[in-house]
Each structure stands twice: as C-alpha cells, then as structure tokens.
Amino acid sequence: MNNRKIVITIDGYSSSGKSTLAKAISKKLQYNYVDSGAMYRSVTLFAIRKKVFNSDLWNVQNFTSLLKEINLKFKWNKKYNRTDIFLNKENIQSKIRSEKVATKVSLIAQLPEVRKKLTLIQRNIGKNRGIVIDGRDAGNYVFPKSELKIFMKGSIEIRTYRRYQDLKKRGYEVSYEEVKKNLIYRDIMDTSRNISPLKKPVDSIEIDNTFLSIEEQLNFIFQLINKRKK
Ligand code: DC
C-alpha cells in the first residue's frame, strides 16, 4: 500500500455504524481516529454537570461563556485497545454513552460557539493528515478537501437494534422504543439544524449497510482507500 497519508471522513446518521468502520480503518492504517460525536457528547456531559438544562433558555445561551473551561483530549487506552476521550483530565469515555447525554446532545450541537471550538480541535488533529474522523459535518465542513468521504445510512430498525444491543451490553436499562424515539429525534435535529447540518457530501460514496456485514463494508472501503492513496 502506498504511504501517502490521507484524510478519511465518515459521516452519517446516528448508529449507522460509522465508528465501527472508522476504528477498524484507523487501526489498519495506523491513523489517528477522531470520534467527533464523542466530543459533542463530552461538551453535553459538561453542560449537564453545570446544570445548564435545569431551567430556561437563558442558561443554554450563557453556557457558551463556560466553554473556555473545557479541555478535550483523545488518548489511547492500552487495556481496552481503544481511544478514550478525556474532559479536563477525567476519562469520560463510558459516561458520555448514557441516554441522558444522548437526549441533550442535539441542543448543544446546534450552538455555533460549540461547533467552532470543536471544529478547531478536529482540524488541528488532522493538520498533518493521516486521520479518520466520523461525525455529521466532517466531509462537508471540517475537512472539505478530504481524499475519501464516506456517507453511511441504514434502516431505522437496524440502527435501533444495534444501539439497543450496545446499550444493553454496557448495562444501561433502556427499552427498544425509547432508543428508536431518540434516534428519530436526533436524525431530525441533525438534518434540520441551521449550522452544519447532516447532509450527504456531493463527492462522497454512500454505503447503506442495512444488509451488509462489517467485513463486506471494510473490503469495499479498502479498495477505495488503495485508489486514493496512489
Ligand atoms: O456520533 P454520535 O451519535 O456519538 O453523536 C452524538 C451527537 O453529536 C449527534 O446526535 C449529533 C452531534 N454531532 C454533531 O452535531 N456533529 C458531529 N460532527 C458529530 C456529532
């Protein structure tokens, strides 16, 4: 495989399997993996802890003045063979997966100041290329010149099932219907927000993985990568 380092963006709907692919690709290529959803979730956890959602809108708007207190870092976790996210030196990798965070994250993700801060961090990690990033606006906005843009989708049932299984495995008490409702809500919020909405980049390759195994998806993507790296 040619050694030219490229930027690979993987955008798509919630629980469409973006991170599974992004992790596998980054491991194989030894690239940095950026889970941008984890960053939005981390800011949301911070906001919940600051009780931003306990009263009215005023609080959410004023939340932006607290953004400077947030320091986010990704670090490799040898024990679990994965990248963990740290908020002000605290490992919050597991805490950001809760449904509480999932129900509030869309509100935080629509704040321009939050997007600006997280976009800067993402571009900085990717400044020397050699990065796989998954999210909603990675191909359209954060890295518009990336060499490979993937756009993921899958039926709402398969996405709900995957997320439900994942949450159960982690020990969260949730119902299938609750998970489905949250995914539908986030799809609507992600695609309809004014700033950096989720939208298939025109120059992206679409993968609908409703009926595709992970191996099939990876085989297909590595063929694309090999062409792009030449
Ligand atoms: O990928 P995820 O489900 O962990 O992302 C959580 C939320 O963060 C998602 O509902 C929308 C928001 N998000 C975003 O607005 N922009 C990104 N690049 C990534 C995530």
mmCIF file of all heavy atoms in Angstrom, residues 11 43 221:
data_model
loop_
_atom_site.group_PDB
_atom_site.id
_atom_site.type_symbol
_atom_site.label_atom_id
_atom_site.label_comp_id
_atom_site.label_asym_id
_atom_site.label_seq_id
_atom_site.Cartn_x
_atom_site.Cartn_y
_atom_site.Cartn_z
ATOM 1 N N ASP A 11 -19.299 10.289 7.563
ATOM 2 C CA ASP A 11 -20.465 10.960 8.127
ATOM 3 C C ASP A 11 -21.690 10.065 7.970
ATOM 4 O O ASP A 11 -21.688 9.132 7.157
ATOM 5 C CB ASP A 11 -20.717 12.289 7.397
ATOM 6 C CG ASP A 11 -19.620 13.303 7.689
ATOM 7 O OD1 ASP A 11 -19.441 13.628 8.880
ATOM 8 O OD2 ASP A 11 -18.948 13.755 6.742
ATOM 9 N N VAL A 43 -19.030 17.721 25.655
ATOM 10 C CA VAL A 43 -19.469 19.071 25.995
ATOM 11 C C VAL A 43 -20.860 18.995 26.645
ATOM 12 O O VAL A 43 -21.177 19.737 27.583
ATOM 13 C CB VAL A 43 -19.483 19.980 24.745
ATOM 14 C CG1 VAL A 43 -20.027 21.362 25.083
ATOM 15 C CG2 VAL A 43 -18.082 20.091 24.146
ATOM 16 N N ILE A 221 -14.372 -0.468 1.343
ATOM 17 C CA ILE A 221 -13.687 0.790 1.677
ATOM 18 C C ILE A 221 -12.179 0.691 1.403
ATOM 19 O O ILE A 221 -11.575 1.633 0.895
ATOM 20 C CB ILE A 221 -13.950 1.179 3.146
ATOM 21 C CG1 ILE A 221 -15.422 1.563 3.308
ATOM 22 C CG2 ILE A 221 -13.067 2.346 3.579
ATOM 23 C CD1 ILE A 221 -15.842 1.890 4.710
#
